[in-house]
Amino acid sequence: MFKMDEVSLNSEPVGDDDADGFEIEGDCAMTEYVGQAGIIQGENPLPPAVGMEFESYEDVYYFYNCYAKDQGFGVRVSNTWYRKSKERYRGKLSCSSAGFKKKSEANRPRPETRTGCPAMIKFRLMDSKRWRIIEVEVEHNHLISPKSGKFYKSHKHLGVGTKRALQLESAEEAQKIRLFRTVVIDTEDNESLDVDEGVFGNNVDYCNQLKLKVGDAQAVLNYFTHLQLINPNFFYVVDLNEKGCLRNLFWTDARARVAYGYFGDAVAIDTACLTNKYEVPLVSFVGVNHHGQSVLLGCGLLVGETTESYTWLFRAWLTCMLGRPPQAIITDQCSTLQTAVADVFPRASHCLCLSHIMQKIPEKLEGLYEYEAIIAALNKAVYHSLRPEEFEAAWEDMMQRHGLRDQKWLQVLYEDRKRWVPVYLKDTFLAGMFPIQPSDVVSSFFEGYLDKHTPLKEFLDKYDQALQTKHHLEDLADMNSRNSTYMLKSGSYFELQLSKLYTNDILEMFKREVEGMYSCFSTRQLNADGPISTYIVKDQVEVERNRREARDYEIFYNATEMEVLCICGLFNFKGYLCRHALCVLNQNGMEEIPPQYILSRWRKDIPRNYVLDYSSNGVDANNPVHRFDHLYKCVVQVVEEGRKSEDRYKFALQALDQILNKLRLVDNQSM
């Protein structure tokens, strides 16, 4: 499990100051001191970076030591600087192979094991009383490998917890540790931040401060505190301005982080609340699950529509998702959004939401001469072009026929055409999240729970309601797909095959393609080149209201590889084969859909488990924080299994009751 607690990622390097004091050099393994219990827990997916901040000197050591163990090298304390008051204010940690041993006059001197390795970090105490990394060197001049199995003295206590004086006598005290777990990511070159004052301040005098009403900040803090206590893997990130006041905020929970592992191929970033000046400046990360239902993958509150805020939010979200970007990202058309997406997700396909663009047409074009004719021409170009050259010709004809060349909005749309016009997006897998017909509707995840005037405190109450409703709908759909018998109507082998694998909701969508095969009245082979054949399928399609016309669809079929590719691109848009491809498979005697077109993301038996980690590696039974974490995760696993049926529910209750009785016996015997 990935945790990045009590760490602040700031962009600015911090220079050294010449404080009065003295320096102690040494080669100390420092095995007696590690960080606050449970902060890193032996796992550290991030390398050290300039700007990271920690609560204490020991926490810096623990962080770097965990990183070193993960990479396969040891750590030693090279230097520590002290003030005259004997307070430490600077330190340097190095690879255990740093420097060289002093020459020994012994008869049998030990062989030299050091290499003068330059890998190290320097850190110093800031005015905020937090320790900040000010210099980093990650390169080694010797081979390192986490699989080498080599033992280093500095790693001695990482697997068994802490010897630091932190005595917690109860689960309640253990829970309190969670309240301080956070990550602060600051995208500006600010001076030192005083994170102890004004973190959730309500002062709105600054343009780079989140505008909160009286009581909002406390409501957010209370809500996050509650979530941290009931959800060990709840994750939130706070961004502070130079005054130490709240600027941006991101949060997500364990269920969302696990869901992303299954359904993170395409993600929509909904910024409508921010763009439309809602009272709650919400940004949502949304995917679709195996039923085609929306699933929440994270939320943020932003100070404004700036590249800096978007970049901060996207980096926070990506960090939370272990640095694994989605294949495709869908956003509104916005230059600052596009800049931030390109910066944080350079390898993802960035698409602009087609339905949102088409909804802007009345605002942008209404009042123009022949408005209705312009709409008809635009719809035809966007929704019915099968090839890029068709779209280009239709667009040019519309612009010339209606004299639209001076319309700046249309000019910008055309420049961005490869991000929103379906004909250019056929090679991008979009999992049904991108509308390709005028009837396709994209709705907000929080529709019905949040409007323009909903106060933040009210939204936090409704947030839980929305999640519970969505989770309940997913549970019902799971149960219906597993237990109900799907009614086959077509008698198609293809439908029969997928009825055994896919959820009912996806089957209903696929059924329309199976039924649509009957509107395809001609399937003929155009030519063949070795194993690859080209087919033309004629289909009756609706081009305007109540008017249909015959269209030719080109399909490539590779008999050797069992690959089929239709020019309509439905498989990448929706995640299942189109009627035209099914006609070609049927004509070639195929009774089953080839396995590469059976997607695990739609399966009814997809093995989801909404708890991140159940392993007991690194759990110290003497540490109440570790005990609480591990027991909680184990119990949640019981809950996940027990909810699946009435029999399992009753058995789980009985077993838990027996466990409680046995625990009471243990208490009685120890008295």
Side-chain angles (χ1 to χ4, degrees):
M1 183 188 69
F2 166 55
K3 291 192 177 183
M4 196 175 63
D5 303 323
E6 288 290 358
V7 181
S8 169
L9 305 184
N10 298 287
S11 59
E12 81 281 14
V14 182
D16 298 348
D17 62 355
D18 297 324
D20 292 334
F22 56 93
E23 172 186 355
I24 294 179
E25 297 186 13
D27 296 328
C28 172
M30 201 174 171
T31 56
E32 295 299 313
Y33 299 94
V34 294
Q36 181 171 321
I39 287 181
I40 306 294
Q41 294 188 350
E43 296 181 53
N44 177 31
L46 288 179
V50 171
M52 283 185 172
E53 288 187 359
F54 301 82
E55 283 298 305
S56 67
Y57 184 104
E58 289 77 20
D59 286 351
V60 183
Y61 179 87
Y62 187 50
F63 168 83
Y64 192 55
N65 200 20
C66 288
Y67 166 74
K69 183 178 181 182
D70 183 66
Q71 296 294 308
F73 67 95
V75 172
R76 64 166 36 93
V77 180
S78 295
N79 305 78
T80 302
W81 285 263
Y82 288 79
R83 304 187 196 278
K84 291 181 179 178
S85 61
K86 296 186 179 180
E87 177 192 27
R88 290 177 298 195
Y89 72 93
R90 285 185 60 194
K92 177 181 177 182
L93 304 179
S94 302
C95 170
S96 56
S97 294
F100 296 95
K101 290 183 179 179
K102 297 178 181 179
K103 291 185 178 181
S104 173
E105 298 180 0
N107 294 331
R108 295 183 180 179
R110 292 182 180 180
E112 178 62 75
T113 57
R114 302 192 193 180
T115 62
C117 181
M120 61 85 199
I121 62 170
K122 289 182 180 179
F123 52 102
R124 57 158 294 173
L125 184 64
M126 307 303 296
D127 292 340
S128 62
K129 300 304 179 183
R130 292 166 68 91
W131 290 81
R132 179 178 295 184
I133 296 179
I134 59 174
E135 187 176 343
V136 173
E137 175 56 63
V138 296
E139 297 298 326
H140 297 258
N141 64 2
H142 57 97
L143 294 177
I144 59 173
S145 172
K147 298 180 181 179
S148 66
K150 186 174 180 180
F151 175 80
Y152 292 96
K153 189 177 180 182
S154 64
H155 303 160
K156 181 179 178 182
H157 292 273
L158 278 182
V160 295
T162 174
K163 283 193 175 184
R164 183 178 167 190
L166 178 65
Q167 301 300 322
L168 300 176
E169 299 299 334
S170 66
E172 289 75 13
E173 290 184 61
Q175 289 174 337
K176 292 177 185 176
I177 297 300
R178 303 189 175 284
L179 310 187
F180 304 99
R181 293 183 176 182
T182 182
V183 186
V184 180
I185 301 180
D186 192 351
T187 59
E188 296 186 2
D189 291 336
N190 296 327
E191 298 298 324
S192 173
L193 299 182
D194 183 358
V195 298
D196 294 324
E197 297 181 5
V199 173
F200 290 92
N202 283 310
N203 191 330
V204 293
D205 293 337
Y206 307 100
C207 62
N208 67 338
Q209 182 177 334
L210 199 61
K211 292 179 174 60
L212 301 176
K213 293 185 175 179
V214 175
D216 282 352
Q218 190 62 47
V220 172
L221 180 59
N222 292 343
Y223 183 68
F224 284 3
T225 298
H226 168 70
L227 287 182
Q228 283 190 309
L229 291 176
I230 65 174
N231 187 338
N233 296 310
F234 176 74
F235 181 101
Y236 74 89
V237 186
V238 179
D239 175 34
L240 309 176
N241 65 14
E242 65 277 3
K243 302 295 184 181
C245 296
L246 186 61
R247 178 167 50 196
N248 300 304
L249 185 63
F250 167 74
W251 74 92
T252 190
D253 59 21
R255 187 181 179 111
R257 296 170 73 184
V258 175
Y260 179 73
Y262 299 108
F263 310 120
D265 38 19
V267 173
I269 303 176
D270 184 356
T271 57
C273 295
L274 196 60
T275 303
N276 297 323
K277 310 301 180 185
Y278 276 41
E279 194 163 324
V280 179
L282 182 72
V283 177
S284 305
F285 296 83
V286 181
V288 293
N289 64 14
H290 53 315
H291 302 290
Q293 301 168 336
S294 295
V295 55
L296 189 65
L297 302 174
C299 287
L301 300 178
L302 295 189
V303 70
E305 296 179 89
T306 65
T307 302
E308 291 78 15
S309 289
Y310 283 134
T311 300
W312 177 89
L313 180 67
F314 297 165
R315 285 178 177 164
W317 180 79
L318 186 61
T319 298
C320 174
M321 299 306 173
L322 305 184
R324 299 170 300 179
Q327 299 172 23
I329 293 175
I330 304 168
T331 72
D332 276 349
Q333 184 188 28
C334 170
S335 59
T336 54
L337 263 175
Q338 289 176 236
T339 300
V341 169
D343 181 29
V344 182
F345 309 106
R347 294 183 179 84
S349 298
H350 183 194
C351 309
L352 307 179
C353 185
L354 174 57
S355 63
H356 290 174
I357 289 175
M358 301 304 279
Q359 287 168 9
K360 293 179 182 177
I361 291 176
E363 173 194 343
K364 301 293 185 179
L365 303 180
E366 197 169 32
L368 292 179
Y369 179 67
E370 296 184 322
Y371 171 73
E372 293 296 333
I374 293 172
I375 297 303
L378 185 59
N379 280 336
K380 184 177 180 181
V382 171
Y383 292 113
H384 300 293
S385 297
L386 291 178
R387 295 174 176 82
E389 54 269 26
E390 289 181 25
F391 172 78
E392 304 278 350
W395 184 276
E396 176 62 26
D397 179 70
M398 177 187 71
M399 299 293 282
Q400 184 172 348
R401 184 185 299 270
H402 299 287
L404 301 173
R405 297 197 184 280
D406 293 333
Q407 287 293 324
K408 292 185 178 180
W409 183 66
L410 290 176
Q411 292 173 8
V412 174
L413 279 185
Y414 184 75
E415 292 170 1
D416 282 337
R417 64 191 180 281
K418 294 183 180 180
R419 296 188 187 275
W420 65 274
V421 181
V423 73
Y424 295 102
L425 300 174
K426 295 176 184 178
D427 293 331
T428 302
F429 184 77
L430 293 164
M433 298 190 68
F434 190 88
I436 57 173
Q437 294 297 331
S439 58
D440 292 343
V441 178
V442 177
S443 58
S444 167
F445 183 89
F446 292 104
E447 187 171 345
Y449 297 92
L450 177 65
D451 60 37
K452 192 168 186 177
H453 304 291
T454 303
L456 178 58
K457 287 191 285 187
E458 181 181 331
F459 169 68
L460 292 176
D461 292 334
K462 291 184 175 181
Y463 177 86
D464 268 341
Q465 297 175 25
L467 287 188
Q468 291 305 318
T469 300
K470 299 287 186 179
H471 296 166
H472 180 62
L473 291 174
E474 181 176 336
D475 290 342
L476 286 177
D478 280 342
M479 186 168 58
N480 290 335
S481 294
R482 284 195 303 264
N483 301 331
S484 62
T485 303
Y486 182 79
M487 298 297 295
L488 295 173
K489 298 179 181 179
S490 66
S492 163
Y493 287 114
F494 302 135
E495 189 179 5
L496 175 63
Q497 176 192 8
L498 292 192
S499 70
K500 301 174 182 177
L501 303 173
Y502 279 7
T503 61
N504 291 354
D505 296 278
I506 303 303
L507 277 172
E508 284 294 329
M509 301 179 201
F510 178 70
K511 184 176 69 174
R512 292 196 286 268
E513 296 307 309
V514 173
E515 294 172 348
M517 292 172 66
Y518 299 105
S519 69
C520 299
F521 54 89
S522 173
T523 302
R524 62 186 176 87
Q525 183 174 336
L526 191 65
N527 57 57
D529 183 8
I532 301 177
S533 302
T534 305
Y535 288 82
I536 297 293
V537 174
K538 284 188 176 294
D539 187 12
Q540 289 279 0
V541 297
E542 185 176 332
V543 291
E544 292 178 9
R545 293 172 186 156
N546 302 320
R547 190 173 76 83
R548 303 177 73 86
E549 70 177 31
R551 297 289 306 270
D552 288 346
Y553 290 86
E554 190 176 49
I555 298 96
F556 298 97
Y557 175 65
N558 187 327
T560 303
E561 302 294 334
M562 292 191 297
E563 293 179 346
V564 60
L565 178 65
C566 180
I567 196 172
C568 77
L570 187 77
F571 181 77
N572 274 338
F573 284 128
K574 299 292 187 181
Y576 46 81
L577 288 177
C578 64
R579 60 194 66 182
H580 320 116
L582 296 176
C583 285
V584 171
L585 291 178
N586 188 57
Q587 179 152 319
N588 282 272
M590 297 284 290
E591 295 185 351
E592 289 192 343
I593 295 173
Q596 62 265 43
Y597 302 107
I598 307 294
L599 303 184
S600 62
R601 71 165 350 273
W602 304 133
R603 292 181 69 106
K604 66 177 75 175
D605 60 350
I606 185 169
R608 299 168 348 277
N609 198 334
Y610 290 125
V611 181
L612 286 176
D613 176 42
Y614 302 114
S615 67
S616 58
N617 295 335
V619 174
D620 178 12
N622 296 318
N623 188 312
V625 176
H626 286 210
R627 292 198 302 264
F628 178 85
D629 273 4
H630 190 230
L631 285 173
Y632 186 96
K633 293 170 186 176
C634 291
V635 170
V636 173
Q637 188 178 19
V638 173
V639 172
E640 287 290 327
E641 293 297 324
R643 71 181 179 86
K644 293 180 179 178
S645 70
E646 184 177 353
D647 288 341
R648 288 188 174 206
Y649 166 74
K650 292 179 179 178
F651 182 82
L653 282 181
Q654 184 180 3
L656 288 172
D657 189 53
Q658 292 173 357
I659 291 173
L660 284 174
N661 289 333
K662 291 181 179 179
L663 286 173
R664 293 187 183 106
L665 287 175
V666 171
D667 287 339
N668 292 334
Q669 292 171 1
S670 62
M671 291 177 66

